[in-house]
Amino acid sequence: MSPGAGAGAGEGDGRLGRLRRALRGAGAPGGRARRAGGPAATPSEPRVVLYGRAGCHLCADAREVVAAVAARTGAGVREVDVDAPGPGEEPGGRPGALAARYGELVPVVVVDGVQHAVYHVDAGRLEAVLLAPPR
């Protein structure tokens, strides 16, 4: 993830801003999803979660692939910075739990609560999983 990766921070009209807007807007509500390591999600939650961190070039690459695949499949995507997660994003509410869990593994892509990719995202494989019925 790049610096200022928070919602709305520095989005601008550039390529990164378009990707962030695509990630937030990708997918139609109504698809079933599961939280990573959690109970079944509500219908409006995204099927894909991209865990990353600021300044991670692999995370930027993964973000592009995930955004493109999500746009093609209509899957919803949520991006989480493991070093600065939002409210309710830490497993068990423990501060630092995401950073401890994923450490240097980022980017990590989770689909329907199941870890799908680490470091590199294969667009064809991700698309196949997203076109299959949710688990």
Side-chain angles (χ1 to χ4, degrees), residues 72-101:
R72 287 194 303 271
T73 63
V77 178
R78 179 169 52 104
E79 188 172 345
V80 177
D81 184 328
V82 299
D83 297 319
E89 291 180 330
E90 290 279 14
R94 296 182 319 272
L98 284 176
R101 180 177 187 173

Side-chain angles (χ1 to χ4, degrees), residues 26-135:
R32 287 183 46 212
R34 292 182 56 85
R35 288 182 205 257
T42 62
S44 63
E45 285 195 39
R47 291 185 64 193
V48 180
V49 180
L50 172 61
Y51 292 98
R53 65 172 28 108
C56 168
H57 71 282
L58 291 176
C59 299
D61 294 345
R63 184 180 302 113
E64 288 187 31
V65 172
V66 168
V69 172
R72 287 194 303 271
T73 63
V77 178
R78 179 169 52 104
E79 188 172 345
V80 177
D81 184 328
V82 299
D83 297 319
E89 291 180 330
E90 290 279 14
R94 296 182 319 272
L98 284 176
R101 180 177 187 173
Y102 293 116
E104 298 303 316
L105 295 177
V106 295
V108 175
V109 175
V110 173
V111 178
D112 297 329
V114 177
Q115 186 170 305
H116 172 77
V118 176
Y119 301 127
H120 299 282
V121 182
D122 180 284
R125 186 170 167 252
L126 179 59
E127 189 165 346
V129 168
L130 291 173
L131 292 174
R135 295 184 194 210

